Amino acid sequence: MAGAAKTLRLPYHIKCHNAACDSYNYGSSRVAMYGGHAAWLEASRHFALSGKNDANGMWTEGVKQLSCITNFREAVSRIQSCYYYRFLKLGAPRCLGDMGAGEMWQFFLAGRSQFGYSCMNEPFRMLSGMVDESLFNSDTESQGWDFAFNSTRMNLAHCVPIISSSSYTLDVVASWFPDLIHITRFSKAHANKGHKPCKISERHMEVLADLTRHERRLYDLAAQRANQFLSSMPHRSHLGESGGGGAGQQISSRGAGPLAPLLSIEDAARAFLQAPLPPRVDHVSVERPLVFIHQRKAGGTSLRGIMAGAAKTLSLPCHIKCHNAACDSYSYGSSRVAMYGGHVAWLEASRHFALSGKNDANGMWTEGVKQLSCITNFREAVSRIQSCYDYRFLKLGAPRCLGDMGADEMCQFFLAGRSQFGYSCMNEPFRMLSGLVDEPLFISDTESQEWDFAFNSTLMNIAHCVSIIISSSSTLDVVASWFPDLISITR
């Protein structure tokens, strides 16, 4: 890609070529080709905010259409390669067979690289648009996994998949993106180098198959998708035929079962109300921190001050935006404290705590946070969106009163208007709590499967939180009861 971009004189941002290898976002780049270990989540965020707004806050998209390529490798082969690449340097056994099968299973669940990532379920980590290391580091069946699979499947549908064992999929890429015609040379130039896996027992292979059950099911789906691309090209073999490397053959999935459908919004709401309440925490600490996910224009500014004051009184370390941390900062950096608060979305908080542990010399991981507690604030939706308009858009020259616009004009404004940072006033709770980055969805008012998905995700996350309803002071009493350290919130 870097070579093609250079030949065609196209601007590009390709990690390890004209950008740092160990960088996992695209910064302020505005180029024609991007490539690297930057997950769907980071790419979505990058392009969602790549436009600009005019003096009235009306938004012009910076990217009209985004195309995607991604690569797949057979799951058992990939996880073994990951082990040898990441963990031998940390002192792990030279051969997986040197561990018992049960010990190996535990290692893959608990082992982490120096950056805090396991070898488990990499395609979901890169393509789901989610940050949930506790899920990605598991091999169980759960509603969370059904959810992650649905999300990954939806995103993968936008991409052309490369199956590493089939050179035919490179022909597809060259056909879909003629600028990359030279990619067909990749199969001759590329070879998986490095440690040659040693021989392991049949039982070890069975354990690896169980560990990769979710990934194998996704790999099979990606291979089927690649076959669809190949079918659209004349005189091309399917994966699994002569020269295809067998990648398109049906892949068995031990105990994976059929993929569960998304819950309807009504069923998701019912499941949410039936979920157990989050546990009370008598005293918050670095190991059991409290996070306030502050929804914009929903009356949470005073709570930040109360949290900062309580932390000071109790001599607890804190990271509260606009108090001991910058207001316009939307992550928690390297902070390891007892109380967090600000306009930091569920997504960023999840990422922060997922990587807050440390690993020993053998790469075995110790979680830094044992239990996370959450508070968030809600305001009646019509009141919140009007408040957001007054706060964000009057300064940009918008009409002083919504009534000065016709109803249809006002509707169009809310769909197209953006703040100076590229965000609309629409659907703030989903933006903050869904764990997703999907501005085109959040600025829409239509019914769709994507909205069902966002609703499911948001309710799953809110189930972990104590909600403050700003029109009800009794919800402040609930917070004080659940977190006695915040007793002053009732004032």
Side-chain angles (χ1 to χ4, degrees):
M1 289 182 71
K6 191 172 182 180
T7 298
L8 296 168
R9 297 184 178 180
L10 292 172
Y12 64 96
H13 181 134
I14 309 294
K15 305 298 184 183
C16 301
H17 289 270
N18 67 336
C21 293
D22 293 329
S23 171
Y24 305 103
N25 61 57
Y26 293 119
S28 60
S29 297
R30 296 293 180 267
V31 298
M33 291 188 190
Y34 300 79
H37 294 310
W40 182 275
L41 167 69
E42 295 297 342
S44 298
R45 185 205 312 274
H46 179 82
F47 295 114
L49 302 180
S50 65
K52 60 182 179 180
N53 56 354
D54 62 20
N56 292 320
M58 303 301 281
W59 189 256
T60 301
E61 300 291 347
V63 172
K64 303 299 183 184
Q65 181 176 319
L66 170 66
S67 299
C68 166
I69 302 169
T70 191
N71 57 313
F72 284 86
R73 180 175 179 178
E74 190 278 323
V76 172
S77 172
R78 190 203 62 76
I79 199 172
Q80 290 181 82
S81 175
C82 178
Y83 170 85
Y84 290 118
Y85 178 79
R86 289 184 175 174
F87 293 113
L88 295 192
K89 66 184 73 173
L90 296 178
R94 298 289 299 172
C95 177
L96 285 171
D98 293 339
M99 293 186 272
E103 183 185 2
M104 180 187 73
W105 174 78
Q106 183 59 39
F107 188 97
F108 275 112
L109 293 177
R112 303 291 189 277
S113 72
Q114 57 182 321
F115 300 109
Y117 294 105
S118 79
C119 286
M120 298 278 289
N121 297 303
E122 181 69 6
F124 297 96
R125 188 174 285 108
M126 294 301 291
L127 292 166
S128 68
M130 299 169 62
V131 176
D132 191 341
E133 284 300 305
S134 62
L135 182 68
F136 299 150
N137 298 328
S138 71
D139 62 346
T140 57
E141 301 293 329
S142 66
Q143 183 186 17
W145 263 116
D146 291 334
F147 190 78
F149 202 101
N150 271 291
S151 177
T152 305
R153 172 183 57 81
M154 288 170 58
N155 295 337
L156 177 58
H158 298 282
C159 298
V160 177
I162 297 171
I163 308 298
S164 65
S165 60
S166 172
S167 62
Y168 289 135
T169 55
L170 301 177
D171 296 332
V172 173
V173 172
S175 175
W176 249 251
F177 308 105
D179 288 336
L180 297 182
I181 186 65
H182 296 305
I183 197 172
T184 54
R185 301 175 187 169
F186 177 76
S187 60
K188 297 181 178 64
H190 177 75
N192 290 318
K193 300 178 180 179
H195 184 94
K196 184 177 180 180
C198 57
K199 187 175 181 178
I200 59 178
S201 72
E202 182 176 341
R203 178 56 185 152
H204 282 76
M205 289 299 294
E206 290 175 352
V207 170
L208 290 175
D210 280 337
L211 284 166
T212 58
R213 66 177 67 185
H214 300 295
E215 186 176 341
R216 288 187 301 115
R217 184 168 59 180
L218 182 64
Y219 177 83
D220 182 43
L221 191 63
Q224 293 178 51
R225 183 66 164 173
N227 273 332
Q228 293 177 337
F229 279 99
L230 285 163
S231 295
S232 69
M233 298 173 62
H235 313 302
R236 294 295 182 189
S237 300
H238 279 210
L239 302 181
E241 297 177 358
S242 177
Q249 297 171 356
Q250 191 69 19
I251 301 173
S252 63
S253 186
R254 291 177 179 268
L259 179 64
L262 282 173
L263 295 175
S264 67
I265 288 179
E266 292 77 13
D267 287 341
R270 190 175 302 112
F272 165 70
L273 293 174
Q274 293 173 349
L277 297 174
R280 288 180 172 87
V281 178
D282 290 335
H283 297 289
V284 299
S285 65
V286 174
E287 291 75 26
R288 300 186 68 177
L290 175 62
V291 180
F292 172 38
I293 297 180
H294 182 182
Q295 298 183 47
R296 297 170 181 85
K297 307 315 298 173
T301 301
S302 297
L303 179 54
R304 290 199 210 180
I306 291 168
M307 292 181 70
K312 186 175 181 179
T313 298
L314 297 168
S315 298
L316 291 172
C318 68
H319 182 134
I320 310 295
K321 305 298 184 183
C322 301
H323 289 270
N324 67 336
C327 293
D328 294 330
S329 171
Y330 305 103
S331 72
Y332 290 120
S334 59
S335 297
R336 296 291 180 268
V337 298
M339 291 188 191
Y340 300 79
H343 295 311
V344 179
W346 182 277
L347 169 69
E348 293 298 341
S350 297
R351 185 207 309 275
H352 179 80
F353 295 113
L355 302 179
S356 65
K358 60 182 179 179
N359 56 354
D360 63 21
N362 293 320
M364 302 301 282
W365 189 255
T366 300
E367 300 291 347
V369 172
K370 303 299 183 185
Q371 180 180 313
L372 170 66
S373 300
C374 165
I375 301 171
T376 191
N377 56 315
F378 284 88
R379 180 176 182 176
E380 190 279 324
V382 173
S383 173
R384 190 202 62 76
I385 200 172
Q386 291 182 82
S387 174
C388 179
Y389 172 86
D390 292 340
Y391 180 78
R392 288 184 175 173
F393 294 113
L394 297 189
K395 67 184 73 172
L396 296 177
R400 299 290 300 174
C401 177
L402 286 171
D404 293 339
M405 294 185 273
D408 290 342
E409 182 185 2
M410 181 186 71
C411 177
Q412 183 57 37
F413 187 96
F414 275 112
L415 293 174
R418 303 290 189 281
S419 72
Q420 57 182 321
F421 301 109
Y423 294 108
S424 81
C425 286
M426 299 277 288
N427 297 303
E428 178 70 5
F430 298 95
R431 185 176 289 107
M432 293 301 291
L433 291 163
S434 68
L436 304 173
V437 175
D438 192 343
E439 280 301 305
L441 179 66
F442 298 151
I443 61 175
S444 70
D445 61 349
T446 56
E447 301 293 330
S448 65
Q449 183 184 16
E450 287 74 14
W451 263 118
D452 290 342
F453 184 79
F455 205 98
N456 272 266
S457 176
T458 303
L459 287 182
M460 285 174 61
N461 295 337
I462 296 176
H464 299 283
C465 298
V466 176
S467 296
I468 297 171
I469 310 299
I470 66 163
S471 60
S472 172
S473 60
S474 60
T475 58
L476 301 177
D477 296 331
V478 173
V479 172
S481 174
W482 248 250
F483 309 104
D485 289 334
L486 296 183
I487 187 63
S488 59
I489 196 173
T490 55
R491 304 171 191 166

